[in-house]
Amino acid sequence: MLKRVHYNSSYLPYLLVTPQIIITLLFFIWPALQALYQSFLLEDAFGLSSEFVWFDNFIELYDDPNYLSSFTRTGFFSLAVASLSMGMALLFAALADRVVKGARTYRTLLIIPYAVAPVLAGTLWLFLFNPTLGIISYFLEIIGIDWNHKLNSTQAMSLVIMAAAWKQISYNFLFFIAAMHSIPKSLIEAAAIDGAGPVHRFRTIILPLISPTTFFLLVVNIIYAFFDTFGIIHSMTAGGPGNSTEILVYKVFNDGFVGLDLGGSAAQSVILMVVVILLTVVQFKYVERKVQY
Amino acid sequence: MLKKTIIAAAVTASFFSTTAIAAVEVNWWHAMGGTNTERVNKIAADFNALQSDYKINAVYKGNYTETMTAAIAAFRAKKQPHIVQVFEVGTATMMAAKGAVYPIEQVMKDSGVKLDKSSYLPAVISYYQTPAGELLSMPFNSSTPVLWYNKDAFKKAGVENAPKTWSEVTSTAKKLVDSGMKCGIAIGWQSWALIENYSAWNNISLGTKQNGYAGLDTELSFNNKFVIDNLQRLADMQKDGSFTYGGRRGESLAMFTNGQCGMWINSSAYYGSIKGQAKFDYAQAMMPYDEKVTSAAQNSIIGGATLWTLRGHKKEEYKGVAKFMEYLSSAEVQAWWHQETGYVPITTAAYELSKKQGFYDKNPGTDTAIHQLSLNTPTENSRGIRFGSFVQIRDIINAEMEKIWNGSKTAEQAMNDAVTQSNKLLRKFEKANK
């Protein structure tokens, strides 16, 4: 028989979740509804006149070839950022997990990048890869690679992916290392006694046991790449060269906060919201089946 | 003794605090970062020290776009500053917001402070006037693109004079590259230099309706043969490094100051930075004109920012605004500002004063920008541009120009696409600001 605590009063559970619900309503639902309402409006920057235009803002987006092509770009960018940052974090966590001496120092150093603001992260990478002044572009030139992300679309895309992924590695690392710590040592020791090497142990024991964390991080990372990366892109490439690093959220930011076109920007953010909701549903429906809790 | 001092200090302190309360406060949001923040603060502090009726609070709000966005958001929340500094491409947006903007000419008139428009440089104020001639905002920091060149590199390449035309630019760039330089010319703020100023300087129109001055139903038309040919020429010049692309804004400064590029077209306001960074002999000359279009240059248009007054405050506060504007455009303040920053003086009096002080004799070439701006009486093509959503339009132009530079489009395709996309934004702006 299951051990259960029963509360007789019916209002207590509601009372306990109220703060959470209020926060969700105030900071998530209300802004989302406002964005939805704003997306149907055509308004001047100062808000002096506004007109209800139904789906005009959406139709306009549909007519914009640059906007449509930015979907595939965003998909590629998000996948690349998520896999790169999770892959690196997993590697670091696996290595840091085995370190005995100075483990704390390694962990601290690996977590530091998380404290760096996105714009700052972008600027740091920009300095390293500056075609004229950058130290890395200087070494690349020595080995025969002409680095100029201001003109080369592929290089520009790789640069923003690297910077965005780097920023997220620490976060992923924290979760991975915590998950690894929660695996009972006896399991791993038993496998070691049975003759399984470190790689084999990692593949057959650690990886399956941390799969809930991996799944959680996948969802979080995709959302991060979709929503939180405009600062990095703004400071590094401003969407260029051409439109080659203009992902959906960057256009939302740029049209809304730089271009002051609130209706168009709101319409884009509504679309983005729908895309991310769909993606998350898909992940829970299909990817989660492979997770062992 | 000690007691006396404390009492004296307390009395003085209370005296100062009461005067501070009595003074009418006027808030000024600006976008002048770095050393210019200190200069702006000095202007405000000097004004506050000069009189006790008004107190200007100068607040740095980030770069141009951030300051403008902040002011607009503040207006929507009814917490707007009295004065906000807005860059030239935001002019149409501000102008269209009739209920939010208090035209400076009106502010001065309502406060009984004299405003003599004829004392301002025509090329500077025409950018900010209505078709009827009313001045909407007070010019503050204005500059214009000039041709910067490396004198040492010119000597080494055997070039005697700065190029005057675009075909001379091409041949000079070639000579520089042949003499061992990595790059002949780089260009900063490319839409401003190669499209907006190229059109004004060669006296061709950028768009219909007098470049947008005569109405919101304007259309851009810079996809003409001249602009396209000039851009294609630069694209072709990339093959041997005669032209190298260095970014949308001013990032290519480093390419000029570290001796990689022998020429650089960008704002005259880079004077201070170049002076601090270049380890070679440099000079500025007028922008090249296109001899295929015209036989002589017209006048260039400005960049930079003006101070806009926002509505929604008390009458006596606007009097403070007017008094401050009067102080700001006085010859002494303007001459000082001009000589410190490299921005052009906005009044002829400030220019004359700088001349009298011997500034141009000591720093030859620093008056290039003024010469360029006042070369001829501005025409419909050269007094400025007024297109809505121009911040976004510049993004479009930048993106399309990058497609020329990396070879994914020809100049013609890129300009046609830029015009099509931009005109959609203009239509939307027209609809939103009826």
Side-chain angles (χ1 to χ4, degrees):
Chain A
M1 202 188 127
L2 277 171
K3 220 171 140 191
R4 258 190 201 158
V5 182
H6 284 278
Y7 293 102
N8 288 327
S9 68
S10 57
Y11 63 86
L12 188 64
Y14 296 105
L15 195 71
L16 289 175
V17 294
T18 311
Q20 196 55 252
I21 287 177
I22 289 179
I23 288 176
T24 314
L25 283 175
L26 208 62
F27 291 102
F28 297 95
I29 308 295
W30 188 38
L33 288 177
Q34 258 196 331
L36 195 63
Y37 174 61
Q38 186 88 51
S39 69
F40 292 113
L41 295 181
L42 180 66
E43 210 176 54
D44 73 296
F46 284 85
L48 297 166
S49 71
S50 71
E51 190 189 338
F52 196 81
V53 290
W54 288 106
F55 294 97
D56 275 11
N57 290 323
F58 292 94
I59 293 167
E60 205 171 277
L61 290 172
Y62 184 73
D63 284 339
D64 183 357
N66 281 332
Y67 182 69
L68 297 181
S69 70
S70 124
F71 274 93
T72 31
R73 199 176 302 130
T74 310
F76 173 74
F77 172 81
S78 308
L79 267 180
V81 169
S83 49
L84 186 63
S85 67
M86 285 173 69
M88 293 302 283
L90 188 61
L91 180 70
F92 287 144
L95 294 177
D97 196 31
R98 290 165 54 82
V99 169
V100 184
K101 230 181 185 174
R104 203 174 270 259
T105 322
Y106 282 108
R107 255 177 271 158
T108 314
L109 286 176
L110 281 164
I111 292 164
I112 283 178
Y114 195 59
V116 179
V119 178
L120 224 55
T123 313
L124 286 175
W125 281 82
L126 208 55
F127 269 123
L128 293 173
F129 280 91
N130 184 308
T132 319
L133 309 164
I135 181 97
I136 295 184
S137 53
Y138 174 76
F139 286 123
L140 284 174
E141 205 176 310
I142 291 177
I143 58 165
I145 299 170
D146 185 19
W147 184 272
N148 189 357
H149 61 261
K150 285 173 184 158
L151 274 184
N152 187 317
S153 311
T154 320
Q155 290 177 354
M157 192 48 138
S158 352
L159 187 60
V160 289
I161 288 174
M162 277 193 283
W166 174 76
K167 180 86 186 58
Q168 193 68 359
I169 286 176
S170 309
Y171 180 87
N172 296 340
F173 171 79
L174 265 181
F175 278 86
F176 275 133
I177 196 113
M180 284 178 192
H181 276 307
S182 65
I183 298 173
K185 277 271 172 296
S186 54
L187 269 178
I188 292 164
E189 277 159 14
I193 291 166
D194 286 345
V199 180
H200 194 141
R201 289 199 304 261
F202 181 76
R203 199 163 51 82
T204 53
I205 297 174
I206 300 180
L207 213 50
L209 284 176
I210 60 168
S211 64
T213 308
T214 314
F215 175 66
F216 162 76
L217 285 177
L218 182 70
V219 176
V220 168
N221 275 273
I222 295 273
I223 291 176
Y224 160 77
F226 261 86
F227 285 114
D228 274 352
T229 43
F230 63 87
I232 287 176
I233 292 182
H234 188 58
S235 63
M236 293 182 92
T237 61
N243 308 84
S244 59
T245 53
E246 193 179 73
I247 59 167
L248 291 169
V249 69
Y250 181 67
K251 211 170 142 56
V252 172
F253 162 75
N254 208 41
D255 286 358
F257 288 92
V258 181
L260 302 167
D261 170 15
L262 295 179
S265 174
Q268 291 174 42
S269 68
V270 167
I271 293 175
L272 194 59
M273 186 164 71
V274 171
V275 168
V276 172
I277 289 173
L278 286 179
L279 262 179
T280 312
V281 168
V282 166
Q283 288 178 46
F284 270 96
K285 221 171 150 89
Y286 298 102
V287 186
E288 204 194 13
R289 286 188 191 157
K290 301 216 166 66
V291 174
Q292 295 144 337
Y293 286 103
Chain B
M1 178 64 211
L2 184 71
K3 209 173 170 187
K4 253 185 193 168
T5 329
I6 291 170
I7 293 169
V11 169
T12 358
S14 65
F15 172 72
F16 275 118
S17 61
T18 45
T19 48
I21 288 164
V24 173
E25 302 221 3
V26 173
N27 295 318
W28 173 21
W29 288 5
H30 67 86
M32 300 274 88
T35 38
N36 281 345
T37 311
E38 290 155 33
R39 293 178 182 135
V40 165
N41 287 342
K42 184 179 148 46
I43 294 176
D46 287 355
F47 175 75
N48 293 341
L50 206 67
Q51 43 75 49
S52 54
D53 296 340
Y54 308 101
K55 184 169 178 281
I56 296 280
N57 301 317
V59 185
Y60 173 63
K61 279 280 169 183
N63 67 29
Y64 283 137
T65 30
E66 285 159 0
T67 305
M68 187 170 165
T69 313
I72 289 174
F75 183 85
R76 296 179 82 122
K78 300 195 170 28
K79 292 202 171 6
Q80 69 273 32
H82 303 77
I83 308 170
V84 59
Q85 183 185 18
V86 175
F87 59 162
E88 88 281 1
V89 291
T91 306
T93 306
M94 298 300 288
M95 231 192 109
K98 289 201 179 69
V101 163
Y102 194 171
I104 193 63
E105 196 168 334
Q106 204 71 45
V107 176
M108 304 291 263
K109 200 189 280 168
D110 294 349
S111 312
V113 177
K114 213 177 137 263
L115 172 77
D116 180 14
K117 278 188 286 181
S118 64
S119 65
Y120 291 82
L121 290 185
V124 174
I125 64 164
S126 59
Y127 206 109
Y128 305 104
Q129 279 172 308
T130 60
E134 189 187 25
L135 186 63
L136 295 167
S137 60
M138 182 58 85
F140 177 53
N141 59 319
S142 305
S143 68
T144 200
V146 294
L147 174 73
W148 293 95
Y149 63 100
N150 181 332
K151 275 177 143 177
D152 294 350
F154 269 45
K155 215 172 279 169
K156 198 178 153 215
V159 185
E160 288 195 358
N161 295 315
K164 286 198 174 59
T165 63
W166 271 103
S167 62
E168 284 175 31
V169 167
T170 318
S171 58
T172 310
K174 180 98 182 41
K175 278 183 201 155
L176 288 167
V177 172
D178 288 345
S179 77
M181 287 203 99
K182 218 174 147 191
C183 125
I185 187 168
I187 291 156
W189 289 98
Q190 52 180 356
S191 166
W192 184 49
L194 291 176
I195 295 189
E196 296 154 45
N197 264 292
Y198 174 88
S199 301
W201 196 232
N202 292 300
N203 199 13
I204 51 177
S205 69
L206 192 71
T208 60
K209 295 268 162 183
Q210 306 176 19
N211 283 349
Y213 273 61
L216 289 177
D217 52 341
T218 171
E219 281 196 336
L220 285 161
S221 59
F222 58 80
N223 52 341
N224 58 54
K225 189 179 173 313
F226 302 122
V227 171
I228 289 169
D229 284 353
N230 195 44
L231 294 177
Q232 193 60 51
R233 165 179 19 216
L234 282 163
D236 296 339
M237 280 167 71
Q238 287 185 115
K239 286 188 192 101
D240 63 350
S242 283
F243 164 66
T244 305
Y245 176 61
R248 294 181 176 186
R249 294 167 172 250
E251 307 96 310
S252 43
L253 169 71
M255 293 159 71
F256 178 68
T257 53
N258 70 9
Q260 200 175 322
C261 300
M263 293 182 281
W264 189 48
I265 296 181
N266 206 350
S267 163
S268 57
Y270 281 94
Y271 174 66
S273 313
I274 294 177
K275 197 175 168 185
Q277 292 171 25
K279 293 186 185 69
F280 49 81
D281 204 8
Y282 57 87
Q284 47 179 313
M286 288 204 199
M287 266 194 303
Y289 63 87
D290 198 332
E291 71 282 8
K292 273 190 248 160
V293 191
T294 176
S295 56
Q298 173 55 39
N299 68 285
S300 62
I301 51 175
I302 57 172
T306 53
L307 305 181
W308 290 80
T309 314
L310 297 177
R311 288 187 189 273
H313 294 284
K314 293 196 195 95
K315 198 161 182 243
E316 73 237 48
E317 293 170 358
Y318 288 115
K319 202 161 177 191
V321 173
K323 288 270 185 220
F324 178 62
M325 295 296 181
E326 187 186 31
Y327 172 76
L328 191 67
S329 44
S330 68
E332 290 74 27
V333 176
Q334 272 302 313
W336 173 80
W337 173 251
H338 158 56
Q339 294 171 21
E340 288 278 313
T341 58
Y343 286 112
V344 298
I346 56 169
T347 59
T348 23
Y351 174 50
E352 293 299 331
L353 183 63
S354 300
K355 227 194 260 175
K356 219 169 73 195
Q357 291 168 338
F359 178 68
Y360 305 117
D361 297 331
K362 271 178 263 163
N363 307 283
T366 43
D367 51 355
T368 309
I370 307 157
H371 285 313
Q372 260 188 205
L373 287 170
S374 46
L375 197 60
N376 289 297
T377 315
T379 65
E380 276 180 13
N381 298 328
S382 73
R383 69 174 155 184
I385 53 172
R386 188 155 303 153
F387 301 104
S389 305
F390 207 67
V391 181
Q392 282 161 295
I393 290 178
R394 266 204 183 153
D395 280 341
I396 291 172
I397 294 176
N398 274 321
E400 291 300 324
M401 281 172 100
E402 281 171 344
K403 288 174 192 165
I404 306 178
W405 308 142
N406 70 17
S408 54
K409 273 187 189 174
T410 64
E412 193 178 356
Q413 278 172 323
M415 286 302 103
N416 288 341
D417 290 350
V419 165
T420 316
Q421 293 173 52
S422 306
N423 282 337
K424 274 190 200 158
L425 287 179
L426 287 180
R427 291 297 66 78
K428 192 171 182 186
F429 185 80
E430 185 189 359
K431 218 173 139 196
N433 288 283
K434 259 188 295 204

